[in-house]
Amino acid sequence: MSKAIPKECMALLKEASEMFSETGCVPGIDGEAVPAVTIVPDAKEYISETIDDPEAIYDPEIWDTSGFALVLSWLAQKWLRKCHKLAPRGTKNPEQYLTKEQQKACLDSAAAELVREITQQRPLN
């Protein structure tokens, strides 16, 4: 999967990840550092919209922000793991077997877990 991501994007995601490791922040829309935890609700909203409408369009100005992409990636991974636990064993596409309500319940749980993890990993200043 990482081979499909352009090198420039990978470099930006790596930079955002390093910023998070050092400060608990990621680059925001304007490039300024923002606490990663503040991006979780926007990432959750994006995934929720795609559950309702898989062809939903999102503002590229926000989507192209490396901090948003990083947090969205973290949340999507957690969400998919939770969905896989509810779907029949060996299922590659759990959304085929889960209702939208079940998918959103997994998303709520994943977002809460991500907020806890981010909060616990933030460096003390």
Side-chain angles (χ1 to χ4, degrees):
M1 180 177 152
S2 65
K3 292 182 182 188
I5 300 172
K7 288 181 182 180
E8 305 83 34
C9 293
M10 288 300 293
L12 289 173
L13 289 173
K14 183 178 181 200
E15 184 179 311
S17 182
E18 289 171 357
M19 178 188 281
F20 173 75
S21 294
E22 293 172 8
T23 67
C25 294
V26 294
I29 293 173
D30 58 3
E32 295 294 318
V34 296
V37 72
T38 65
I39 296 179
V40 174
D42 292 330
K44 180 181 171 187
E45 181 180 338
Y46 173 75
I47 294 173
S48 182
E49 287 175 9
T50 62
I51 291 170
D52 290 332
D53 178 9
E55 297 186 23
I57 297 175
Y58 203 76
D59 182 354
E61 183 177 328
I62 296 172
W63 173 244
D64 291 342
T65 303
S66 60
F68 180 80
L70 183 64
V71 173
L72 179 64
S73 171
W74 293 339
L75 181 56
Q77 290 173 36
K78 288 188 172 304
W79 169 61
L80 288 173
R81 270 188 246 127
K82 291 187 180 291
C83 285
H84 277 284
K85 287 180 183 178
L86 289 180
R89 184 173 226 138
T91 301
K92 291 186 180 182
N93 298 314
E95 64 275 2
Q96 293 177 337
Y97 299 95
L98 303 179
T99 66
K100 289 180 181 184
E101 291 76 21
Q102 288 172 314
Q103 291 179 56
K104 287 186 178 188
C106 290
L107 179 59
D108 289 342
S109 175
E113 182 179 313
L114 181 57
V115 167
R116 277 191 307 276
E117 287 179 8
I118 289 172
T119 303
Q120 290 173 356
Q121 290 180 4
R122 289 177 74 177
L124 299 173
N125 294 331

PDB file of all heavy atoms in Angstrom, residues 43-71:
ATOM      1  N   ALA A  43     -11.609  14.001  11.674  1.00  0.00           N
ATOM      2  CA  ALA A  43     -11.336  12.722  11.024  1.00  0.00           C
ATOM      3  C   ALA A  43     -12.531  11.778  11.210  1.00  0.00           C
ATOM      4  O   ALA A  43     -12.940  11.072  10.279  1.00  0.00           O
ATOM      5  CB  ALA A  43     -10.065  12.102  11.584  1.00  0.00           C
ATOM      6  N   LYS A  44     -13.107  11.797  12.409  1.00  0.00           N
ATOM      7  CA  LYS A  44     -14.276  10.964  12.686  1.00  0.00           C
ATOM      8  C   LYS A  44     -15.450  11.390  11.805  1.00  0.00           C
ATOM      9  O   LYS A  44     -16.157  10.547  11.243  1.00  0.00           O
ATOM     10  CB  LYS A  44     -14.649  11.077  14.163  1.00  0.00           C
ATOM     11  CG  LYS A  44     -15.856  10.248  14.549  1.00  0.00           C
ATOM     12  CD  LYS A  44     -16.194  10.431  16.016  1.00  0.00           C
ATOM     13  CE  LYS A  44     -17.523   9.785  16.337  1.00  0.00           C
ATOM     14  NZ  LYS A  44     -17.961  10.093  17.700  1.00  0.00           N
ATOM     15  N   GLU A  45     -15.650  12.683  11.655  1.00  0.00           N
ATOM     16  CA  GLU A  45     -16.736  13.192  10.815  1.00  0.00           C
ATOM     17  C   GLU A  45     -16.545  12.744   9.364  1.00  0.00           C
ATOM     18  O   GLU A  45     -17.493  12.341   8.689  1.00  0.00           O
ATOM     19  CB  GLU A  45     -16.797  14.717  10.894  1.00  0.00           C
ATOM     20  CG  GLU A  45     -17.906  15.324  10.061  1.00  0.00           C
ATOM     21  CD  GLU A  45     -17.947  16.832  10.160  1.00  0.00           C
ATOM     22  OE1 GLU A  45     -17.432  17.402  11.129  1.00  0.00           O
ATOM     23  OE2 GLU A  45     -18.496  17.444   9.223  1.00  0.00           O
ATOM     24  N   TYR A  46     -15.306  12.809   8.885  1.00  0.00           N
ATOM     25  CA  TYR A  46     -15.024  12.387   7.514  1.00  0.00           C
ATOM     26  C   TYR A  46     -15.389  10.916   7.317  1.00  0.00           C
ATOM     27  O   TYR A  46     -16.067  10.554   6.361  1.00  0.00           O
ATOM     28  CB  TYR A  46     -13.549  12.609   7.162  1.00  0.00           C
ATOM     29  CG  TYR A  46     -13.183  12.038   5.828  1.00  0.00           C
ATOM     30  CD1 TYR A  46     -13.566  12.669   4.649  1.00  0.00           C
ATOM     31  CD2 TYR A  46     -12.504  10.834   5.738  1.00  0.00           C
ATOM     32  CE1 TYR A  46     -13.263  12.132   3.422  1.00  0.00           C
ATOM     33  CE2 TYR A  46     -12.200  10.283   4.507  1.00  0.00           C
ATOM     34  CZ  TYR A  46     -12.573  10.930   3.348  1.00  0.00           C
ATOM     35  OH  TYR A  46     -12.274  10.384   2.140  1.00  0.00           O
ATOM     36  N   ILE A  47     -14.947  10.055   8.235  1.00  0.00           N
ATOM     37  CA  ILE A  47     -15.249   8.627   8.104  1.00  0.00           C
ATOM     38  C   ILE A  47     -16.748   8.390   8.209  1.00  0.00           C
ATOM     39  O   ILE A  47     -17.318   7.601   7.452  1.00  0.00           O
ATOM     40  CB  ILE A  47     -14.471   7.792   9.145  1.00  0.00           C
ATOM     41  CG1 ILE A  47     -12.966   7.858   8.849  1.00  0.00           C
ATOM     42  CG2 ILE A  47     -14.959   6.339   9.149  1.00  0.00           C
ATOM     43  CD1 ILE A  47     -12.089   7.218   9.908  1.00  0.00           C
ATOM     44  N   SER A  48     -17.403   9.095   9.116  1.00  0.00           N
ATOM     45  CA  SER A  48     -18.851   8.961   9.271  1.00  0.00           C
ATOM     46  C   SER A  48     -19.578   9.331   7.970  1.00  0.00           C
ATOM     47  O   SER A  48     -20.522   8.650   7.560  1.00  0.00           O
ATOM     48  CB  SER A  48     -19.335   9.848  10.418  1.00  0.00           C
ATOM     49  OG  SER A  48     -20.719   9.697  10.602  1.00  0.00           O
ATOM     50  N   GLU A  49     -19.120  10.392   7.320  1.00  0.00           N
ATOM     51  CA  GLU A  49     -19.726  10.792   6.047  1.00  0.00           C
ATOM     52  C   GLU A  49     -19.520   9.730   4.981  1.00  0.00           C
ATOM     53  O   GLU A  49     -20.401   9.495   4.161  1.00  0.00           O
ATOM     54  CB  GLU A  49     -19.150  12.128   5.580  1.00  0.00           C
ATOM     55  CG  GLU A  49     -19.637  13.307   6.389  1.00  0.00           C
ATOM     56  CD  GLU A  49     -18.973  14.622   5.999  1.00  0.00           C
ATOM     57  OE1 GLU A  49     -18.248  14.666   4.987  1.00  0.00           O
ATOM     58  OE2 GLU A  49     -19.191  15.613   6.713  1.00  0.00           O
ATOM     59  N   THR A  50     -18.362   9.072   4.995  1.00  0.00           N
ATOM     60  CA  THR A  50     -18.116   8.031   3.993  1.00  0.00           C
ATOM     61  C   THR A  50     -18.917   6.759   4.295  1.00  0.00           C
ATOM     62  O   THR A  50     -19.201   5.998   3.376  1.00  0.00           O
ATOM     63  CB  THR A  50     -16.615   7.693   3.853  1.00  0.00           C
ATOM     64  OG1 THR A  50     -16.126   7.179   5.076  1.00  0.00           O
ATOM     65  CG2 THR A  50     -15.812   8.906   3.422  1.00  0.00           C
ATOM     66  N   ILE A  51     -19.274   6.551   5.557  1.00  0.00           N
ATOM     67  CA  ILE A  51     -20.153   5.426   5.881  1.00  0.00           C
ATOM     68  C   ILE A  51     -21.528   5.684   5.269  1.00  0.00           C
ATOM     69  O   ILE A  51     -22.125   4.802   4.664  1.00  0.00           O
ATOM     70  CB  ILE A  51     -20.265   5.221   7.408  1.00  0.00           C
ATOM     71  CG1 ILE A  51     -18.944   4.708   7.978  1.00  0.00           C
ATOM     72  CG2 ILE A  51     -21.406   4.249   7.738  1.00  0.00           C
ATOM     73  CD1 ILE A  51     -18.878   4.704   9.500  1.00  0.00           C
ATOM     74  N   ASP A  52     -22.021   6.912   5.425  1.00  0.00           N
ATOM     75  CA  ASP A  52     -23.333   7.276   4.886  1.00  0.00           C
ATOM     76  C   ASP A  52     -23.325   7.343   3.359  1.00  0.00           C
ATOM     77  O   ASP A  52     -24.289   6.973   2.705  1.00  0.00           O
ATOM     78  CB  ASP A  52     -23.795   8.616   5.450  1.00  0.00           C
ATOM     79  CG  ASP A  52     -24.145   8.535   6.923  1.00  0.00           C
ATOM     80  OD1 ASP A  52     -24.546   7.447   7.388  1.00  0.00           O
ATOM     81  OD2 ASP A  52     -24.014   9.552   7.627  1.00  0.00           O
ATOM     82  N   ASP A  53     -22.233   7.865   2.806  1.00  0.00           N
ATOM     83  CA  ASP A  53     -22.124   8.037   1.357  1.00  0.00           C
ATOM     84  C   ASP A  53     -20.686   7.761   0.942  1.00  0.00           C
ATOM     85  O   ASP A  53     -19.833   8.648   1.048  1.00  0.00           O
ATOM     86  CB  ASP A  53     -22.531   9.460   0.967  1.00  0.00           C
ATOM     87  CG  ASP A  53     -22.402   9.730  -0.524  1.00  0.00           C
ATOM     88  OD1 ASP A  53     -22.160   8.788  -1.304  1.00  0.00           O
ATOM     89  OD2 ASP A  53     -22.544  10.905  -0.914  1.00  0.00           O
ATOM     90  N   PRO A  54     -20.396   6.545   0.475  1.00  0.00           N
ATOM     91  CA  PRO A  54     -19.019   6.190   0.120  1.00  0.00           C
ATOM     92  C   PRO A  54     -18.379   7.114  -0.922  1.00  0.00           C
ATOM     93  O   PRO A  54     -17.171   7.137  -1.065  1.00  0.00           O
ATOM     94  CB  PRO A  54     -19.141   4.764  -0.428  1.00  0.00           C
ATOM     95  CG  PRO A  54     -20.399   4.240   0.168  1.00  0.00           C
ATOM     96  CD  PRO A  54     -21.310   5.429   0.316  1.00  0.00           C
ATOM     97  N   GLU A  55     -19.183   7.883  -1.628  1.00  0.00           N
ATOM     98  CA  GLU A  55     -18.630   8.800  -2.629  1.00  0.00           C
ATOM     99  C   GLU A  55     -18.615  10.241  -2.137  1.00  0.00           C
ATOM    100  O   GLU A  55     -18.495  11.171  -2.930  1.00  0.00           O
ATOM    101  CB  GLU A  55     -19.410   8.669  -3.925  1.00  0.00           C
ATOM    102  CG  GLU A  55     -19.261   7.256  -4.515  1.00  0.00           C
ATOM    103  CD  GLU A  55     -19.897   7.107  -5.870  1.00  0.00           C
ATOM    104  OE1 GLU A  55     -20.065   8.125  -6.566  1.00  0.00           O
ATOM    105  OE2 GLU A  55     -20.210   5.961  -6.227  1.00  0.00           O
ATOM    106  N   ALA A  56     -18.707  10.416  -0.827  1.00  0.00           N
ATOM    107  CA  ALA A  56     -18.693  11.764  -0.250  1.00  0.00           C
ATOM    108  C   ALA A  56     -17.390  12.474  -0.621  1.00  0.00           C
ATOM    109  O   ALA A  56     -16.327  11.871  -0.668  1.00  0.00           O
ATOM    110  CB  ALA A  56     -18.836  11.695   1.264  1.00  0.00           C
ATOM    111  N   ILE A  57     -17.512  13.758  -0.872  1.00  0.00           N
ATOM    112  CA  ILE A  57     -16.348  14.571  -1.227  1.00  0.00           C
ATOM    113  C   ILE A  57     -15.969  15.397  -0.013  1.00  0.00           C
ATOM    114  O   ILE A  57     -16.827  15.918   0.696  1.00  0.00           O
ATOM    115  CB  ILE A  57     -16.668  15.478  -2.419  1.00  0.00           C
ATOM    116  CG1 ILE A  57     -16.994  14.627  -3.646  1.00  0.00           C
ATOM    117  CG2 ILE A  57     -15.516  16.410  -2.722  1.00  0.00           C
ATOM    118  CD1 ILE A  57     -17.447  15.407  -4.839  1.00  0.00           C
ATOM    119  N   TYR A  58     -14.662  15.513   0.204  1.00  0.00           N
ATOM    120  CA  TYR A  58     -14.178  16.284   1.345  1.00  0.00           C
ATOM    121  C   TYR A  58     -13.317  17.423   0.847  1.00  0.00           C
ATOM    122  O   TYR A  58     -12.695  17.319  -0.204  1.00  0.00           O
ATOM    123  CB  TYR A  58     -13.385  15.368   2.296  1.00  0.00           C
ATOM    124  CG  TYR A  58     -13.341  15.891   3.693  1.00  0.00           C
ATOM    125  CD1 TYR A  58     -14.437  15.785   4.525  1.00  0.00           C
ATOM    126  CD2 TYR A  58     -12.209  16.520   4.175  1.00  0.00           C
ATOM    127  CE1 TYR A  58     -14.412  16.265   5.814  1.00  0.00           C
ATOM    128  CE2 TYR A  58     -12.167  17.004   5.462  1.00  0.00           C
ATOM    129  CZ  TYR A  58     -13.275  16.873   6.277  1.00  0.00           C
ATOM    130  OH  TYR A  58     -13.233  17.363   7.551  1.00  0.00           O
ATOM    131  N   ASP A  59     -13.268  18.500   1.582  1.00  0.00           N
ATOM    132  CA  ASP A  59     -12.503  19.683   1.219  1.00  0.00           C
ATOM    133  C   ASP A  59     -11.025  19.336   1.060  1.00  0.00           C
ATOM    134  O   ASP A  59     -10.364  18.966   2.022  1.00  0.00           O
ATOM    135  CB  ASP A  59     -12.691  20.736   2.314  1.00  0.00           C
ATOM    136  CG  ASP A  59     -11.984  22.037   2.022  1.00  0.00           C
ATOM    137  OD1 ASP A  59     -11.240  22.114   1.026  1.00  0.00           O
ATOM    138  OD2 ASP A  59     -12.185  22.987   2.792  1.00  0.00           O
ATOM    139  N   PRO A  60     -10.475  19.457  -0.155  1.00  0.00           N
ATOM    140  CA  PRO A  60      -9.076  19.078  -0.375  1.00  0.00           C
ATOM    141  C   PRO A  60      -8.097  19.915   0.442  1.00  0.00           C
ATOM    142  O   PRO A  60      -7.015  19.438   0.775  1.00  0.00           O
ATOM    143  CB  PRO A  60      -8.855  19.304  -1.877  1.00  0.00           C
ATOM    144  CG  PRO A  60     -10.109  19.819  -2.433  1.00  0.00           C
ATOM    145  CD  PRO A  60     -11.135  19.890  -1.357  1.00  0.00           C
ATOM    146  N   GLU A  61      -8.462  21.133   0.791  1.00  0.00           N
ATOM    147  CA  GLU A  61      -7.570  21.965   1.603  1.00  0.00           C
ATOM    148  C   GLU A  61      -7.320  21.306   2.959  1.00  0.00           C
ATOM    149  O   GLU A  61      -6.214  21.331   3.477  1.00  0.00           O
ATOM    150  CB  GLU A  61      -8.167  23.356   1.796  1.00  0.00           C
ATOM    151  CG  GLU A  61      -7.261  24.291   2.560  1.00  0.00           C
ATOM    152  CD  GLU A  61      -7.832  25.693   2.676  1.00  0.00           C
ATOM    153  OE1 GLU A  61      -8.533  26.136   1.758  1.00  0.00           O
ATOM    154  OE2 GLU A  61      -7.579  26.341   3.703  1.00  0.00           O
ATOM    155  N   ILE A  62      -8.349  20.687   3.505  1.00  0.00           N
ATOM    156  CA  ILE A  62      -8.199  19.994   4.789  1.00  0.00           C
ATOM    157  C   ILE A  62      -7.570  18.624   4.564  1.00  0.00           C
ATOM    158  O   ILE A  62      -6.641  18.229   5.260  1.00  0.00           O
ATOM    159  CB  ILE A  62      -9.561  19.850   5.501  1.00  0.00           C
ATOM    160  CG1 ILE A  62     -10.102  21.238   5.857  1.00  0.00           C
ATOM    161  CG2 ILE A  62      -9.442  18.984   6.752  1.00  0.00           C
ATOM    162  CD1 ILE A  62     -11.513  21.231   6.373  1.00  0.00           C
ATOM    163  N   TRP A  63      -8.062  17.890   3.565  1.00  0.00           N
ATOM    164  CA  TRP A  63      -7.581  16.536   3.306  1.00  0.00           C
ATOM    165  C   TRP A  63      -6.094  16.516   2.997  1.00  0.00           C
ATOM    166  O   TRP A  63      -5.382  15.600   3.371  1.00  0.00           O
ATOM    167  CB  TRP A  63      -8.389  15.943   2.156  1.00  0.00           C
ATOM    168  CG  TRP A  63      -7.909  14.625   1.678  1.00  0.00           C
ATOM    169  CD1 TRP A  63      -7.418  14.354   0.451  1.00  0.00           C
ATOM    170  CD2 TRP A  63      -7.862  13.394   2.400  1.00  0.00           C
ATOM    171  NE1 TRP A  63      -7.076  13.028   0.354  1.00  0.00           N
ATOM    172  CE2 TRP A  63      -7.330  12.415   1.535  1.00  0.00           C
ATOM    173  CE3 TRP A  63      -8.202  13.012   3.692  1.00  0.00           C
ATOM    174  CZ2 TRP A  63      -7.148  11.095   1.922  1.00  0.00           C
ATOM    175  CZ3 TRP A  63      -8.014  11.702   4.073  1.00  0.00           C
ATOM    176  CH2 TRP A  63      -7.499  10.761   3.204  1.00  0.00           C
ATOM    177  N   ASP A  64      -5.599  17.527   2.292  1.00  0.00           N
ATOM    178  CA  ASP A  64      -4.188  17.573   1.914  1.00  0.00           C
ATOM    179  C   ASP A  64      -3.268  18.000   3.052  1.00  0.00           C
ATOM    180  O   ASP A  64      -2.059  18.061   2.875  1.00  0.00           O
ATOM    181  CB  ASP A  64      -3.986  18.497   0.711  1.00  0.00           C
ATOM    182  CG  ASP A  64      -4.586  17.907  -0.561  1.00  0.00           C
ATOM    183  OD1 ASP A  64      -4.839  16.690  -0.596  1.00  0.00           O
ATOM    184  OD2 ASP A  64      -4.795  18.665  -1.519  1.00  0.00           O
ATOM    185  N   THR A  65      -3.805  18.300   4.205  1.00  0.00           N
ATOM    186  CA  THR A  65      -2.998  18.651   5.371  1.00  0.00           C
ATOM    187  C   THR A  65      -2.392  17.370   5.950  1.00  0.00           C
ATOM    188  O   THR A  65      -3.121  16.429   6.269  1.00  0.00           O
ATOM    189  CB  THR A  65      -3.871  19.344   6.438  1.00  0.00           C
ATOM    190  OG1 THR A  65      -4.486  20.481   5.846  1.00  0.00           O
ATOM    191  CG2 THR A  65      -3.064  19.745   7.642  1.00  0.00           C
ATOM    192  N   SER A  66      -1.066  17.341   6.074  1.00  0.00           N
ATOM    193  CA  SER A  66      -0.419  16.109   6.523  1.00  0.00           C
ATOM    194  C   SER A  66      -0.874  15.695   7.920  1.00  0.00           C
ATOM    195  O   SER A  66      -0.999  14.506   8.205  1.00  0.00           O
ATOM    196  CB  SER A  66       1.100  16.248   6.475  1.00  0.00           C
ATOM    197  OG  SER A  66       1.541  17.301   7.303  1.00  0.00           O
ATOM    198  N   GLY A  67      -1.134  16.656   8.803  1.00  0.00           N
ATOM    199  CA  GLY A  67      -1.603  16.325  10.146  1.00  0.00           C
ATOM    200  C   GLY A  67      -2.961  15.642  10.115  1.00  0.00           C
ATOM    201  O   GLY A  67      -3.191  14.655  10.820  1.00  0.00           O
ATOM    202  N   PHE A  68      -3.867  16.144   9.259  1.00  0.00           N
ATOM    203  CA  PHE A  68      -5.183  15.528   9.134  1.00  0.00           C
ATOM    204  C   PHE A  68      -5.048  14.130   8.555  1.00  0.00           C
ATOM    205  O   PHE A  68      -5.655  13.175   9.045  1.00  0.00           O
ATOM    206  CB  PHE A  68      -6.104  16.381   8.257  1.00  0.00           C
ATOM    207  CG  PHE A  68      -7.478  15.786   8.084  1.00  0.00           C
ATOM    208  CD1 PHE A  68      -8.429  15.919   9.071  1.00  0.00           C
ATOM    209  CD2 PHE A  68      -7.794  15.075   6.947  1.00  0.00           C
ATOM    210  CE1 PHE A  68      -9.690  15.353   8.921  1.00  0.00           C
ATOM    211  CE2 PHE A  68      -9.047  14.508   6.793  1.00  0.00           C
ATOM    212  CZ  PHE A  68     -10.000  14.647   7.776  1.00  0.00           C
ATOM    213  N   ALA A  69      -4.243  13.990   7.506  1.00  0.00           N
ATOM    214  CA  ALA A  69      -4.063  12.683   6.876  1.00  0.00           C
ATOM    215  C   ALA A  69      -3.495  11.666   7.866  1.00  0.00           C
ATOM    216  O   ALA A  69      -3.915  10.505   7.891  1.00  0.00           O
ATOM    217  CB  ALA A  69      -3.154  12.812   5.651  1.00  0.00           C
ATOM    218  N   LEU A  70      -2.567  12.097   8.706  1.00  0.00           N
ATOM    219  CA  LEU A  70      -1.961  11.204   9.691  1.00  0.00           C
ATOM    220  C   LEU A  70      -2.995  10.749  10.721  1.00  0.00           C
ATOM    221  O   LEU A  70      -3.144   9.555  10.985  1.00  0.00           O
ATOM    222  CB  LEU A  70      -0.791  11.895  10.384  1.00  0.00           C
ATOM    223  CG  LEU A  70      -0.021  11.059  11.394  1.00  0.00           C
ATOM    224  CD1 LEU A  70       0.665   9.873  10.714  1.00  0.00           C
ATOM    225  CD2 LEU A  70       1.012  11.932  12.108  1.00  0.00           C
ATOM    226  N   VAL A  71      -3.730  11.687  11.280  1.00  0.00           N
ATOM    227  CA  VAL A  71      -4.747  11.343  12.292  1.00  0.00           C
ATOM    228  C   VAL A  71      -5.853  10.504  11.655  1.00  0.00           C
ATOM    229  O   VAL A  71      -6.328   9.530  12.250  1.00  0.00           O
ATOM    230  CB  VAL A  71      -5.306  12.616  12.968  1.00  0.00           C
ATOM    231  CG1 VAL A  71      -6.473  12.284  13.888  1.00  0.00           C
ATOM    232  CG2 VAL A  71      -4.206  13.328  13.756  1.00  0.00           C
TER     233      VAL A  71
END
